[in-house]
Amino acid sequence: RCRRPVSTAYISNKKLCMSSTSTTSSSSGTNTISSDNSELYQERSDILRANSKLSLAPMMEYTDRHFRHLVRLVSDRTLLYTEMVAANAIAHEREAALPSSSSSSLLHGASAEELSFDPSYLLRFLGQGHNAEGASVLQLGGSDPDQLFLASKTVYEFNQLAQMHQQQLSSNNNAPVFCDYTALNLNCGCPSPKVAGKGSFGAALMQDATLVQQLTSSMYHGSQGSIPITVKCRIGTDEGYQFTRDQYNARSDEDEYQSLKQFIETVASEGIVTDFQVHARIAVLGKNYSPADNRKVPPLWYYQVRRLAEEFPELNISLNGGVETLSGVKRELDECTNLDGIMVGRGWMSNPWAFAMSDELLYTDGQQLADSTRPKNRMEVLQAYGQHADYEEERWDPVKIRRFITKAASQLFSGEPNAKRYRISLDEIAGLPKKLMKEDPKLMDSQPPLSELILDAATKHLSEEVLYRTPKESYEKILYDEEQAEKRLLFVATGGSDAKQAEEKQSFIQEWQQTRKEDEMKESELNSM
């Protein structure tokens, strides 16, 4: 049922790349899409599709540039999504940064030697750090076509500036700041009352597919046709009825699917949007549900997303929601080959190292794997991350930024003995700048670099076996732990029946007790060090 029919061409190739130069109009004027931009668009589209099997979901206050940098150290191929950036915030900072009141472009007045404006405020939203992120997507939030046009235009211009003026985008002129996103994404899935309620965007946009079509068109025109536009949405909302579990379960599956299908068809009708990331739950907007409630209360309907992928082979459909492990990602892709990818949020957030084998397991094309320079263990990850940490502290105020840097690395050893002590140490390190600045600002000058403090915290609390365990060894351990968890569930579900089951349960108990004993011995050895 999930086998994908052969598609002769993508909509984007048909409608966006038919000619080397085309003219388009938008709410903010008429734009000529140059042949260079068409080539850039195609290049980015190819990168997008080549790296879409696993993506990092956009999560507010989590998927900042520090966490994305850590994820990139773990995986070369994972598609990185930023946390949502409000289009009106970019438009406001853009207006303040324009070189002159008569200028409409950040490129105006820029020379090979210097920029004509201070980029630091916009880089808070758009900067990717001092290393190229690879395949990455900037998610925008908004419901105003003009603001989304300006936000997308700003991204386009920063992409240009980043290529021409790497040194000028750095405040200390010692290292570049990258801003080269593979795609832009419109948030049509966030159910937060601040976003979908007061803000009237996010998941609320699913109730107006025509507006979404206009917004994505503005984004395409604003980026001068050089950046693919994608949409993250839900399978629907509670529009037209009061949500309760009973009422929702009583609704027609076919009616729900047809509403979703109509939304996808309308948004994709111009050929601008060909990539959708679909969270397999509805967004409950009629009640004062928190984002956490909207992740837990509405049930997951994976079959709705799978059916979309089956009926729209010319589109790229990724599944989001409820898949939190690498084995789960692989299982979903194996079971439904129509799906182009799986988007994971909280799994990455809670244990990023659990996905260290994703490139090897999900990609069979051999691209980059043979020449990969990824760290071979978590000690090497921390060493590489330390370079990022030191650069960031040199560029920004440690009092303000250190806690964000250490937060990104706090779950790298999730589930390991003494991982909690490591996290506590990072929290103490994060608070040092503020503490020392209160006592005497000069004390900061005698402090070791942040990279050294992070490594010291890891080597003090974690064993060499944990620090130097390879991705393959770690994944094998994770699979074993998942198997034991399934056995525990079976143990509870089957409660004493026949003798054979009792024997299996006894064997499981003995195995579980032995595992616990070994873990306790390891922790005891670490505590005595």
Side-chain angles (χ1 to χ4, degrees):
R1 174 175 173 76
C2 283
R3 292 291 171 186
R4 162 165 285 183
V6 176
S7 178
T8 57
Y10 286 103
I11 288 179
S12 59
N13 291 341
K14 288 180 178 179
K15 294 195 175 184
L16 300 182
C17 302
M18 290 176 65
S19 62
S20 60
T21 305
S22 61
T23 302
T24 58
S25 60
S26 75
S27 58
S28 298
T30 301
N31 302 296
T32 299
I33 307 304
S34 69
S35 58
D36 288 343
N37 284 349
S38 294
E39 291 174 6
L40 271 176
Y41 179 93
Q42 191 56 54
E43 179 183 332
R44 288 178 173 134
S45 292
D46 293 342
I47 293 172
L48 188 64
R49 296 196 176 95
N51 297 277
S52 62
K53 288 189 176 181
L54 173 62
S55 55
L56 170 68
M59 294 178 289
M60 294 298 292
E61 300 182 358
Y62 281 100
T63 54
D64 57 18
R65 65 180 181 276
H66 312 298
F67 189 69
R68 298 198 306 271
H69 184 81
L70 183 80
V71 171
R72 182 57 75 224
L73 292 173
V74 172
S75 167
D76 290 330
R77 302 291 294 272
T78 296
L79 183 62
L80 308 178
Y81 277 73
T82 71
E83 53 189 337
M84 184 192 72
V85 180
N88 61 354
I90 298 178
H92 174 76
E93 294 294 348
R94 172 192 176 81
E95 183 179 358
L98 284 172
S100 67
S101 58
S102 61
S103 175
S104 62
S105 173
L106 296 173
L107 300 173
H108 179 75
S111 67
E113 290 75 26
E114 62 180 358
L115 298 176
S116 53
F117 68 99
D118 179 4
S120 58
Y121 291 102
L122 281 167
L123 284 174
R124 290 183 304 167
F125 303 111
L126 306 178
Q128 294 177 302
H130 72 295
N131 286 325
E133 281 190 353
S136 55
V137 182
L138 174 69
Q139 185 180 71
L140 296 175
S143 57
D144 183 286
D146 292 333
Q147 288 182 343
L148 282 162
F149 178 92
L150 290 173
S152 302
K153 184 178 181 180
T154 305
V155 175
Y156 166 74
E157 290 172 346
F158 259 78
N159 281 354
Q160 298 294 104
L161 290 170
Q163 295 173 28
M164 297 186 297
H165 304 281
Q166 288 290 4
Q167 294 301 323
Q168 281 69 40
L169 288 184
S170 172
S171 62
N172 57 18
N173 286 334
N174 290 324
V177 173
F178 286 88
C179 180
D180 186 15
Y181 291 101
T182 308
L184 297 175
N185 179 267
L186 179 63
N187 184 338
C188 296
C190 179
S192 166
K194 292 181 180 179
V195 173
K198 183 179 179 181
S200 298
F201 58 101
L205 291 175
M206 290 205 69
Q207 299 172 359
D208 192 345
T210 302
L211 174 59
V212 174
Q213 181 192 63
Q214 295 170 359
L215 298 177
T216 54
S217 178
S218 289
M219 292 167 67
Y220 172 70
H221 297 146
S223 64
Q224 305 296 299
S226 67
I227 307 176
I229 310 300
T230 70
V231 168
K232 186 177 187 297
C233 63
R234 295 228 169 187
I235 60 172
T237 71
D238 60 341
E239 183 182 23
Y241 69 100
Q242 186 71 25
F243 176 86
T244 65
R245 285 182 181 273
D246 291 340
Q247 284 200 31
Y248 184 62
N249 291 332
R251 289 178 65 83
S252 164
D253 290 359
E254 185 62 24
D255 288 347
E256 291 283 318
Y257 176 74
Q258 290 302 323
S259 295
L260 172 62
K261 180 179 178 180
Q262 184 178 13
F263 174 83
I264 298 295
E265 285 177 334
T266 301
V267 175
S269 61
E270 287 190 344
I272 288 176
V273 180
T274 61
D275 292 69
F276 292 86
Q277 299 73 44
V278 188
H279 189 132
R281 291 183 176 95
I282 70 162
V284 179
L285 305 179
K287 293 186 175 182
N288 192 27
Y289 272 14
S290 68
D293 293 331
N294 263 297
R295 285 194 307 271
K296 298 173 184 177
V297 178
L300 285 162
W301 282 5
Y302 287 162
Y303 65 90
Q304 298 264 23
V305 185
R306 291 168 180 161
R307 185 176 171 185
L308 270 183
E310 181 181 0
E311 294 186 9
F312 293 91
E314 71 277 15
L315 300 179
N316 290 274
I317 306 294
S318 292
L319 171 70
N320 175 225
V323 182
E324 298 181 353
T325 63
L326 180 54
S327 61
V329 170
K330 192 172 186 306
R331 180 174 58 252
E332 289 297 327
L333 291 175
D334 289 343
E335 289 181 359
C336 187
T337 57
N338 285 347
L339 287 171
D340 291 276
I342 307 296
M343 177 175 275
V344 177
R346 303 203 166 266
W348 268 110
M349 181 185 73
S350 62
N351 190 358
W353 187 246
F355 294 86
M357 279 289 290
S358 58
D359 294 358
E360 288 78 4
L361 293 174
L362 301 180
Y363 293 95
T364 58
D365 56 10
Q367 179 183 338
Q368 300 174 341
L369 292 181
D371 301 324
S372 176
T373 58
R374 279 183 297 141
K376 298 178 177 61
N377 51 61
R378 280 175 281 192
M379 187 65 171
E380 291 187 7
V381 169
L382 285 182
Q383 290 169 344
Y385 187 73
Q387 298 176 23
H388 167 83
D390 290 344
Y391 167 77
E392 289 286 338
E393 287 220 330
E394 289 172 5
R395 189 165 187 276
W396 305 98
D397 183 0
V399 174
K400 296 180 179 179
I401 200 171
R402 179 173 288 191
R403 193 165 296 280
F404 295 102
I405 298 172
T406 56
K407 177 183 177 182
S410 63
Q411 297 297 328
L412 187 60
F413 299 94
S414 180
E416 302 290 0
N418 280 347
K420 185 176 180 180
R421 294 186 180 186
Y422 163 76
R423 292 195 298 271
I424 292 173
S425 288
L426 287 191
D427 191 59
E428 292 171 349
I429 292 168
L432 268 178
K434 186 176 182 179
K435 178 182 177 182
L436 295 176
M437 290 297 287
K438 282 184 177 180
E439 295 176 6
D440 183 355
K442 293 181 180 179
L443 293 174
M444 279 296 294
D445 297 335
S446 61
Q447 284 289 301
L450 179 55
S451 58
E452 186 177 325
L453 294 174
I454 292 174
L455 283 175
D456 285 348
T459 54
K460 178 180 179 181
H461 297 297
L462 302 160
S463 68
E464 287 193 0
E465 190 276 329
V466 169
L467 289 169
Y468 291 96
R469 189 188 302 145
T470 66
K472 184 177 180 181
E473 292 168 343
S474 298
Y475 185 63
E476 289 172 350
K477 181 179 183 299
I478 289 169
L479 290 179
Y480 172 79
D481 291 342
E482 289 177 358
E483 181 184 351
Q484 299 309 302
E486 289 179 5
K487 286 183 178 181
R488 284 193 290 273
L489 288 174
L490 180 64
F491 178 82
V492 172
T494 57
S497 52
D498 56 29
K500 183 177 180 180
Q501 285 181 330
E503 183 179 344
E504 290 176 349
K505 292 172 190 173
Q506 184 61 32
S507 175
F508 163 68
I509 291 173
Q510 291 174 351
E511 186 177 0
W512 174 68
Q513 289 174 334
Q514 179 63 27
T515 302
R516 276 195 63 188
K517 185 177 180 181
E518 291 174 357
D519 289 342
E520 288 172 356
M521 289 178 63
K522 286 181 181 178
E523 183 138 11
S524 178
E525 291 173 1
L526 287 170
N527 292 337
S528 63
M529 292 175 64

